[in-house]
Amino acid sequence: MTRHARNCTAGAVYTYNEKKRDAAESGYGTNAKRLGKDSVKSFDCCSLTLQPCRIPVVTKDGYLFDKEAILQYIVTKKTEYSRKLKEYERLRRIEENELAAEANNKQQARMEQFVNAEKPTTTPAHRPTATIVRPTPSTSAAAAAAAASSSVSSISNMVNGHEKKLPSFWLPSECPNAGAAKAKKPDPTIYCPVSQQPLRVKDLIDVKFTLLKDGDNKRSLIAKEARYMCPITHDVLSNAVPCAVLRPTGDVVTLECVEKLIRKDMIHPLTDRKLKDKDIIILQRGGTGYAITNDNLQAKEKRPMLQV
C-alpha cells in the first residue's frame, strides 16, 4: 500500500495525480478546463468582437452582433467567395485543356495505328540492311558523360526548375507523387460564425436596449456592471437573467415577462401590436459560473496522448 501523498515518489504504482502532473508539464494529453464567469462574454457584447455593441443586431437564432462587425464579416466572406470562384474557374479551364489534349493524343494514336495497319508487310528479303557503327573512344566517353548527367538529374530535386521549391513530404499536396488539385466549386452561402446557419443581411434585426435609470451620471456606460433593464418590468438585465428580443420593435425584455405577460394574449405591451411566435427571439447569453446556465462552459484542447 503506497502512501497517500501527492508528491510521493517511492510508490511502486504510477498514481493518477502523477500522471496528471506529468501530462501538464510535458504538454501531452487532452487539456480540459471549465470556463469561469470572467472568461464568458456578457449578454450585451458582440459575438465577434466580444465588446459591448454600439449598434446591436440579432440573428434569427438569437446571437447578438455589432452591426459594423457582422457586415464586415459578410463582406469578407463575399470577397473570399469571389477569389475561390476565380480559382475554381482557372482549375476547371486547366482540366478541360488536359482532357482535350488527352483526347487529341488518343485520336492521334488511333490514326497512327490505322495507318500502320494499312502499310504492306515487308519480307526478310526486302528489309533494309542495318549499318553497323563502331563506337570510337570519343563517342563512348560522351555517351558515358551523358548517362552520368541523366542519372544525376533523375535523383536530384534541385533541377528542372525545382531549386526554389523543395518537396514537403509532410504535406499531402506537396508530395512528389501528388496530382493536380481537383476543381471544387465554392459554396456561395454565408454562414453565421457562431451557429453555422445560413446568414443574410436582411435577416439581421435591430436591437434596442433600455438604459437603466440609476441616477449615476459620473461613470460611463461601459464601466457600469448593470447597464440595461427590461422596459416593461424594469428588471435589471444580466447574464443571469434570460432575455428575449421582440422582433417588431427590437426591445429586449426578460423571459419571465414573456412567459407571464406577453404569451397570454400575444400582444406587444408597448405598441399593442399582435405578435406571433416567430416574433419572440430568445437571446443567447454568455453564461455564469453555474452549470445549469449554459452547456458550453467546458473548454478542451486535444494534444498528443502520453502512453505509459
Side-chain angles (χ1 to χ4, degrees):
M1 188 71 180
T2 60
R3 292 177 58 194
H4 297 281
R6 289 189 173 183
N7 297 322
C8 176
T9 58
V13 296
Y14 193 41
T15 62
Y16 174 77
N17 183 266
E18 290 175 347
K19 186 176 181 180
K20 294 286 288 184
R21 182 187 59 192
D22 294 342
E25 293 177 356
S26 62
Y28 289 96
T30 302
N31 186 20
K33 185 177 181 181
R34 178 176 170 78
L35 300 179
K37 182 180 178 181
D38 297 334
S39 302
V40 183
K41 75 176 188 68
S42 181
F43 76 101
D44 61 338
C45 291
C46 174
S47 298
L48 284 175
T49 62
L50 304 182
Q51 299 296 326
C53 297
R54 292 182 294 179
I55 308 177
V57 292
V58 68
T59 63
K60 295 185 298 183
D61 299 321
Y63 292 99
L64 193 71
F65 294 99
D66 194 346
K67 192 171 186 178
E68 181 180 357
I70 193 62
L71 290 181
Q72 181 66 32
Y73 171 81
I74 293 175
V75 170
T76 303
K77 287 297 181 181
K78 287 185 177 180
T79 305
E80 184 180 356
Y81 167 72
S82 301
R83 179 183 59 81
K84 289 183 178 180
L85 186 61
K86 292 180 181 179
E87 181 69 14
Y88 164 73
E89 293 175 351
R90 184 184 68 84
L91 293 177
R92 189 180 61 178
R93 287 195 298 267
I94 293 176
E95 288 183 359
E96 291 177 354
N97 294 336
E98 290 179 354
L99 292 176
E102 185 178 357
N104 291 334
N105 293 336
K106 289 182 178 180
Q107 182 68 17
Q108 188 70 22
R110 286 196 296 268
M111 291 176 59
E112 291 179 358
Q113 184 179 3
F114 175 76
V115 171
N116 294 334
E118 293 296 325
K119 288 182 179 180
T121 58
T122 57
T123 59
H126 295 85
R127 288 178 184 172
T129 58
T131 58
I132 301 175
V133 180
R134 297 183 179 276
T136 60
S138 59
T139 57
S140 62
S149 63
S150 63
S151 63
V152 171
S153 63
S154 62
I155 63 174
S156 176
N157 57 359
M158 300 292 289
V159 294
N160 299 328
H162 294 288
E163 62 274 2
K164 295 183 179 180
K165 182 181 178 182
L166 295 179
S168 301
F169 295 98
W170 53 89
L171 295 177
S173 60
E174 298 294 334
C175 289
N177 58 352
K182 295 285 186 177
K184 185 178 180 181
K185 191 173 183 179
D187 187 6
T189 308
I190 299 175
Y191 296 94
C192 176
V194 182
S195 64
Q196 300 302 321
Q197 298 296 323
L199 178 65
R200 296 180 297 180
V201 177
K202 65 179 183 179
D203 293 336
L204 299 176
I205 303 164
D206 294 333
V207 176
K208 183 173 65 176
F209 286 105
T210 304
L211 295 177
L212 180 64
K213 301 176 182 179
D214 54 354
D216 187 4
N217 298 326
K218 295 182 179 179
R219 292 190 300 170
S220 63
L221 184 64
I222 299 179
K224 296 180 181 179
E225 222 174 278
R227 296 188 281 265
Y228 304 110
M229 67 176 184
C230 175
I232 301 173
T233 62
H234 290 193
D235 292 335
V236 178
L237 304 181
S238 66
N239 272 0
V241 180
C243 303
V245 179
L246 303 180
R247 184 194 292 262
T249 59
D251 289 303
V252 181
V253 298
T254 61
L255 199 59
E256 184 180 4
C257 174
V258 171
E259 298 295 337
K260 293 184 177 180
L261 299 177
I262 299 178
R263 287 196 183 275
K264 286 185 176 180
D265 47 9
M266 295 300 290
I267 294 178
H268 198 299
L270 302 177
T271 61
D272 293 336
R273 293 178 55 182
K274 193 70 176 176
L275 296 176
K276 300 179 181 178
D277 289 336
K278 66 177 183 179
D279 293 334
I280 300 174
I281 302 173
I282 306 300
L283 190 63
Q284 303 292 335
R285 48 189 175 149
T288 62
Y290 296 98
I292 197 173
T293 304
N294 281 77
D295 298 332
N296 300 325
L297 291 180
Q298 192 78 10
K300 287 187 178 182
E301 179 188 6
K302 295 183 178 179
R303 300 178 297 185
M305 194 63 186
L306 180 62
Q307 297 290 340
V308 179

